[in-house]
Amino acid sequence: MLTPEQIETRLERILLKVQKPGRYVGGEMNSLTKDWDSAQTRVALVFPEIYDIGVSNVGMKILYDQVNQREDALAERAYAPWVDMEKIMRENHIPLYTLESRRPLSSFDIVGFSIPYETLYTNTLNILDLAGIPILAAERGDDEPIVIAGGHSTMNPEPMHAFMDAFVIGEGEEVIHDIITSLQENKPGRASRGERLKALAGIPGVYVPSLYEVDTFEDGTIRRIRPLVPEAPETVTKRIVAKLPPPPTDFIVPNISIVHDRATVEIMRGCTRGCRFCQAGMITRPVRERSVEEVVRAAEKAVAATGIDELSFLSLSSSDYTHILELVETISDRFKGRQISIALPSMRIESVSIDLMETLRERRGTGFTLAPEAATERMRRIINKYIPDSQILETAREIYRRNWTTIKLYFMIGHPSETLEDVKAIASLCKQVLAEGRKVIGMKARVHAGISTFVPKPHTPFQWVSCDTVEQIMDKQALLRQELRDRNIKLSWTETRDTLLEAWLTRGDRRISRVIQAAWEKGAKFDAWGEHMRNEAWMEAFEENGLAPSFYTHRPRPADEIFPWEHISTAVRKDYLYQDYRQSLDGQVRSDCREQCFACGILPVFSDLRRETPGESWKCPEVRSPRQP
Ligand code: SF4
């Protein structure tokens, strides 16, 4: 194994030959290099994307802080090297290393991947290979790191089961400590790798795939998923933190310009609006908020620790944060006269108030984003994001009236029971919004329509439905191109092959691991980058493994089918999701459960935690008997 000094020497020879060498040197402000020898446990945290994207990932920052706050452990970072750097690293036999101490990933006790989305899977394999760690978990020896993955994509861990020793299901703040303690109690020499994995399987929220067996029927559907050892529970229920811990503030100040160069404070976790296509909303329940004081304090600390000029308040629907106006007003006062802009991603049309717009007015960019997702009231009922047309137009008018010149409208095509009329309505709604703008600010008004394609995600009410076929998607996109020829309406959409890739990987079963490995061996990586996505490699990989992609994407599921992710629980009951799906077919809307609880299952599972955190930080009712729908 190369020493840090040897890696350093080799790096000096090559760094000026690659793009943006600043990606590979570390030493940034607020990064932490702890003493290697005095740490009992060494954790390499990996974001399988380039530095420019990964360095601002909040999940990584939270884990980095949690581990480095411990006396007995250290955490260091690594990202995916860009294609030029990877090539030269392989030519010079430089294994992937961490930025803090330049140590090879293979020298750490834990290699922890943060994988928010599925198109990072091939990069994950590539990183293991570049680090000299066997990509298959079954081939790792006792002296090799324990490889763990977390992040939203792992809510269906099965496509990646062959490559991970364990998965963290849910939130990582507390479980990372349980994992470190467990591995300290079961150190190599004291316990075999198998014994260490069994110990991990006993931690709530940790899934060890090698300790489960999946039986299937002839047609490939699942007959049964069963644990092989007593330590492995029948169902692995997601882990949550009862009260959100103090947010990270000393963000790493990057060496180079990056994609999201801002300090992010998470104001709220979870969402209870219940949009039926939205996985994040279903898997991050219950809603827990930080107080305004806590958020303002964190924002001040973050600006002081980084000198950054943009603050972003993170949540799934910021305008639903109970004290959003007070927060934005307080921040505006605190930072009066200082060039700090405020970003409030994901505002809901029905809760973005005029006052909020007013307050945001002097600290904002030129564009305002609204996400109706569907253009007809009928479809918005079906997806449970009901807003009257009139309210969308009125909100648009108010936005233009406050001199925003561009409104970005997000839509999805391919929702269940969508008609071409519903698709056509997207074009007419865009034109109506533009017309509102022209009434207020004349020809300066612009609309940008972003059209993605619906993928039925695990653990949502729509997990039983199928994706649109390639032909259906192409027809709908062609119809929109034809209907939207106004040069003041910019149209962008998701490439069909990217939609299908996401669908295979998010709805996949264990057999998809072989497809991922084969596609990677054929050169697939950076699948999230259009110019690098190799569709032919994926097609060949499916063929070689005798699997039909349509089995995963274009096959509606019967009510009683066992899903590949059946043994992974978000605490939201499967029958609750099915009932909600049935209601969608009748266009029935379900209101925000802040107004009334629908007994989705969260409370019985986390009632102890709810009792521990009385008061309004949780948005589920205090533990009392919920009213039936
Ligand atoms: S328990 Fe009730 S209030 Fe809480 S998330 Fe579920 S439906 Fe909503």
Side-chain angles (χ1 to χ4, degrees), residues 14-171:
I14 63 151
L15 275 180
L16 294 180
K17 296 179 186 154
V18 297
Q19 292 172 43
K20 298 193 176 180
R23 288 170 171 157
Y24 309 113
V25 293
E28 311 98 319
M29 194 169 129
N30 297 331
S31 66
L32 205 56
T33 306
K34 294 174 77 174
D35 176 44
W36 182 262
D37 299 326
S38 54
Q40 274 186 56
T41 305
R42 294 112 180 190
V43 182
L45 297 172
V46 185
F47 193 86
E49 199 25 295
I50 55 172
Y51 177 94
D52 322 35
I53 294 172
V55 75
S56 53
N57 178 270
V58 178
M60 280 275 280
K61 179 62 186 151
I62 289 172
L63 294 177
Y64 189 75
D65 276 13
Q66 287 292 331
V67 177
N68 281 325
Q69 278 161 15
R70 296 175 66 118
E71 293 294 313
D72 61 356
L74 62 81
E76 301 190 358
R77 298 160 299 133
Y79 305 96
W82 190 233
V83 285
D84 60 345
M85 179 63 172
E86 180 197 335
K87 182 169 173 298
I88 213 166
M89 284 174 74
R90 289 187 186 277
E91 286 162 1
N92 291 271
H93 309 293
I94 302 175
L96 190 64
Y97 56 90
T98 55
L99 296 184
E100 279 74 5
S101 68
R102 301 269 195 288
R103 286 178 196 280
L105 257 60
S106 54
S107 62
F108 285 76
D109 303 296
I110 302 173
V111 172
F113 284 93
S114 182
I115 315 182
Y117 39 92
E118 298 82 4
T119 44
L120 295 177
Y121 289 170
T122 49
N123 278 12
T124 304
L125 272 63
N126 204 42
I127 283 169
L128 288 170
D129 183 62
L130 201 50
I133 298 170
I135 62 164
L136 294 173
E139 294 176 0
R140 289 179 201 133
D142 258 8
D143 56 353
E144 251 127 13
I146 297 289
V147 179
I148 300 177
H152 284 189
S153 71
T154 66
M155 277 300 175
N156 175 14
E158 299 300 76
M160 289 291 278
H161 84 286
F163 315 115
M164 294 297 145
D165 294 301
F167 292 87
V168 167
I169 306 297
E171 297 162 9

Side-chain angles (χ1 to χ4, degrees), residues 475-527:
D475 289 351
K476 291 175 180 180
Q477 290 175 345
L479 174 63
L480 286 170
R481 275 198 300 276
Q482 186 195 318
E483 292 291 320
L484 282 173
R485 290 174 188 278
D486 186 315
R487 59 186 176 74
N488 295 313
I489 300 181
K490 185 174 161 213
L491 182 60
S492 61
W493 57 80
T494 314
E495 292 298 327
T496 306
R497 61 178 191 176
D498 299 336
T499 299
L500 295 178
L501 177 63
E502 181 195 343
W504 303 323
L505 298 178
T506 193
R507 299 175 67 72
D509 53 29
R510 288 192 165 200
R511 297 173 297 169
I512 291 288
S513 281
R514 300 198 305 267
V515 175
I516 295 170
Q517 182 174 355
W520 169 69
E521 284 161 355
K522 293 173 189 305
K525 60 185 170 198
F526 289 111
D527 287 306

Side-chain angles (χ1 to χ4, degrees), residues 36 55 97 112 120 145 150 155 182 247 305-306 313 322 340 342 363 455 469 528 536 548 575:
W36 182 262
V55 75
Y97 56 90
L120 295 177
M155 277 300 175
S182 172
T306 61
F313 293 117
T322 309
I340 305 266
I342 298 174
R363 295 182 179 279
V455 169
T469 62
E536 73 290 350
D575 62 331

Side-chain angles (χ1 to χ4, degrees), residues 47 150 168 179 196 224 248 340 357 447 542 548 576 629:
F47 193 86
V168 167
I179 290 171
R196 279 187 278 149
R224 185 177 57 167
I340 305 266
M357 284 186 220
V447 165
F542 269 102
Y576 168 87

Side-chain angles (χ1 to χ4, degrees), residues 229-441:
V229 295
E231 293 87 348
E234 283 283 337
T235 301
V236 178
T237 300
K238 75 171 184 181
R239 193 71 179 262
I240 66 165
V241 290
K243 186 167 178 5
L244 300 181
T249 53
D250 53 347
F251 290 91
I252 287 173
V253 180
N255 294 330
I256 58 170
S257 63
I258 61 168
V259 178
H260 298 306
D261 200 357
R262 56 187 173 208
T264 300
V265 180
E266 185 186 19
I267 59 176
M268 169 172 91
R269 196 173 291 179
C271 176
T272 43
R273 289 280 179 168
C275 304
R276 294 177 173 129
F277 57 85
C278 178
Q279 187 190 51
M282 289 295 164
I283 66 175
T284 57
R285 291 179 172 202
V287 167
R288 288 142 293 154
E289 296 190 350
R290 288 195 164 99
S291 67
V292 170
E293 297 67 38
E294 203 182 354
V295 174
V296 172
R297 216 174 20 251
E300 286 179 321
K301 274 180 150 178
V303 170
T306 61
I308 225 150
D309 61 7
E310 182 171 346
L311 271 172
S312 169
F313 293 117
L314 181 71
S315 85
L316 289 174
S317 94
S318 303
S319 44
D320 284 345
Y321 174 74
T322 309
H323 306 294
I324 187 67
L325 199 51
E326 181 196 341
L327 172 65
V328 174
E329 282 169 353
T330 311
I331 290 283
S332 296
D333 289 350
R334 279 305 155 85
F335 291 104
K336 203 164 224 50
R338 299 165 60 182
Q339 297 313 312
I340 305 266
S341 68
I342 298 174
L344 262 185
S346 61
M347 298 236 261
R348 287 191 61 108
I349 297 169
E350 66 275 43
S351 57
V352 62
S353 68
I354 305 293
D355 298 342
L356 189 55
M357 284 186 220
E358 276 299 334
T359 317
L360 281 174
R361 200 172 182 165
E362 74 265 5
R363 295 182 179 279
R364 52 140 177 95
T366 55
F368 202 107
T369 300
L370 298 176
E373 309 293 359
T376 58
E377 293 188 357
R378 182 187 82 87
M379 279 310 297
R380 289 197 293 271
R381 286 179 182 285
I382 287 172
I383 63 175
N384 202 37
K385 196 164 185 178
Y386 180 70
I387 313 157
D389 286 341
S390 56
Q391 189 169 355
I392 296 175
L393 298 177
E394 190 203 325
T395 305
R397 209 169 26 247
E398 292 304 329
I399 291 169
Y400 284 122
R401 188 162 287 138
R402 281 159 186 76
N403 291 330
W404 272 276
T405 52
T406 302
I407 291 185
K408 183 152 191 185
L409 295 170
Y410 278 120
F411 295 100
M412 262 196 256
I413 53 175
H415 282 130
S417 54
E418 180 185 68
T419 66
L420 283 183
E421 281 317 302
D422 294 311
V423 176
K424 220 171 175 177
I426 292 176
S428 48
L429 183 57
C430 290
K431 290 172 188 165
Q432 288 174 60
V433 167
L434 184 67
E436 291 300 329
R438 289 199 172 141
K439 279 189 219 148
V440 180
I441 60 172

